[in-house]
Amino acid sequence: MDAVASRSRRSVLAVPGSNPRFIEKARGLEVDAFFLDLEDAVAPLEKERARENVVAALREGGWDGKIRTVRVNDLGSPWTYRDVIAVVEGAGAELDCLVLPKVTGADQVYWLDLLLTQIERAVGLPVGRIGIEAQIEDARGLQSIDAIAAASPRLETLVYGPADFMASMNMKTLVVGEQPPGYDVGDAYHYVLMRILTAARAHGLQAIDGPYLQIRDVEAFRRSAGRTAALGFDGKWVLHPSQVAAANEVYAPSQEDYDHAELILDAYEHATTVERRGAVMLGDEMLDEASQKMALVVAAKGRAAGLTRTKRFEPES
């Protein structure tokens, strides 16, 4: 899958599968995607009921074009295989992706791919249509990330899970998304984020940042999102309606950047196909093939976010 051409995932809303009120509220939020959660947000004694809620919510519809996903439990738990079977048999036609948490190796993605294929064949669903999102949450997952990213054509995203990852590294902090106290030489998470992003791009996947847990501090959320958006991440998990607008704004190009990207593409195409020359100018700006590649990324993100052009290309006479 080409990440540039993928569906927009600027904002990915976490919705507890055990809470029908939250599920209903999620339908009306302006998010690009959501996941109905069967894992961390659901108490052990509520797992079975949450599956029923999730299947019912998917089948009822009303999601208005949002990417529909479900996070199953991790493979270290006793619930995962029943999660997959219940959700896909019950509402597979209304499901876009499954999120597999705490992925530590490619074998776990192979397992989910194979189980999905078996269920799809058994119930008459198109084989391979349901995607997989792999959540990287510990040191083992990061070490194996290239193999994970290459494990299945179903893979659509790599998702960073910051809280579990910080715990796996024994970081000296309890505040998810902020720098650990005493670390004053840069960004403690830069390597992790770039490692996930590089693996995603090498395999044509999207890269999604994990949540910021201080849900009332929207400006801090915006700063956190801004760091990963600047690197090239495609979106971020949101935990509260107050974070949605900020995520949608931060992970989309500005109108000015989007217009400029479209003008670069027009100017490059005109110069190389109509005028058949390699020297490309847009006003006083000299363009080359690398300029076109960068513009393709920005333009694709803008289109996916629903932006429309406000400027038109006019060839110089």
Side-chain angles (χ1 to χ4, degrees):
M1 171 174 293
D2 186 347
V4 172
S6 297
R7 296 169 293 189
S8 182
R9 284 182 169 92
R10 297 169 299 167
S11 52
V12 182
L13 178 67
V15 186
S18 57
N19 193 317
R21 183 172 65 86
F22 284 9
I23 292 173
E24 185 58 34
K25 187 172 183 178
R27 285 188 169 90
L29 297 178
E30 295 295 323
V31 295
D32 289 341
F34 65 90
F35 68 91
L36 301 173
D37 196 13
L38 295 175
E39 196 211 13
D40 287 349
V42 179
L45 295 179
E46 292 294 314
K47 297 289 187 183
E48 188 170 343
R49 182 179 300 177
R51 290 187 197 123
E52 296 171 358
N53 291 342
V54 164
V55 169
L58 290 171
R59 295 183 67 167
E60 287 167 7
W63 295 105
D64 193 28
K66 299 174 177 66
I67 300 174
R68 304 158 299 177
T69 63
V70 173
R71 181 166 72 165
V72 299
N73 285 277
D74 73 273
L75 278 165
S77 78
W79 301 295
T80 318
Y81 80 102
R82 285 301 310 161
D83 290 344
V84 178
I85 293 169
V87 171
V88 179
E89 286 188 347
E94 312 301 328
L95 179 69
D96 294 309
C97 291
L98 288 178
V99 181
L100 185 63
K102 299 178 177 61
V103 176
T104 58
D107 57 323
Q108 297 180 337
V109 179
Y110 300 152
W111 174 88
L112 182 54
D113 187 327
L114 179 58
L115 182 55
L116 281 170
T117 297
Q118 291 174 329
I119 300 169
E120 287 166 339
R121 287 175 175 163
V123 301
L125 294 170
V127 174
R129 187 190 63 80
I130 297 172
I132 296 173
E133 303 189 31
Q135 193 173 10
I136 307 302
E137 301 188 69
D138 67 7
R140 291 178 300 165
L142 193 67
Q143 284 287 83
S144 304
I145 196 164
D146 289 310
I148 291 168
S152 168
R154 292 182 187 267
L155 269 172
E156 296 190 17
T157 74
L158 298 177
V159 182
Y160 173 45
D164 280 282
F165 190 88
M166 292 161 68
S168 84
M169 299 299 290
N170 293 342
M171 281 192 172
K172 191 180 177 182
T173 181
L174 293 172
V175 183
V176 176
E178 296 293 348
Q179 300 300 311
Y183 192 86
D184 56 3
V185 294
D187 184 350
Y189 312 108
H190 182 75
Y191 170 77
V192 180
L193 294 168
M194 283 301 294
R195 190 74 185 85
I196 291 171
L197 180 62
T198 301
R201 293 296 182 256
H203 296 281
L205 310 176
Q206 289 188 322
I208 306 299
D209 190 15
Y212 187 83
L213 272 58
Q214 307 301 313
I215 60 174
R216 303 295 181 186
D217 194 341
V218 178
E219 286 309 307
F221 172 88
R222 187 182 293 273
R223 289 194 301 271
S224 176
R227 288 194 292 268
T228 56
L231 292 177
F233 273 66
D234 299 285
K236 186 174 180 67
W237 280 10
V238 295
L239 302 179
H240 190 269
S242 65
Q243 298 175 332
V244 173
N248 287 342
E249 178 186 339
V250 169
Y251 289 98
S254 68
Q255 184 68 50
E256 181 180 0
D257 286 346
Y258 172 66
D259 280 334
H260 188 56
E262 294 284 16
L263 290 175
I264 289 173
L265 296 178
D266 289 346
Y268 190 85
E269 181 179 10
H270 180 80
T272 57
T273 60
V274 177
E275 298 181 354
R276 297 189 179 184
R277 57 186 174 85
V280 183
M281 296 295 297
L282 179 62
D284 295 330
E285 182 180 6
M286 180 171 286
L287 309 175
D288 58 13
E289 186 178 0
S291 305
Q292 183 216 26
K293 290 177 180 177
M294 294 169 66
L296 281 170
V297 172
V298 175
K301 286 190 174 185
R303 294 167 193 166
L307 297 181
T308 56
R309 297 182 64 163
T310 62
K311 297 179 181 179
R312 296 293 167 187
F313 174 69
E314 297 291 342
E316 294 183 5
S317 57

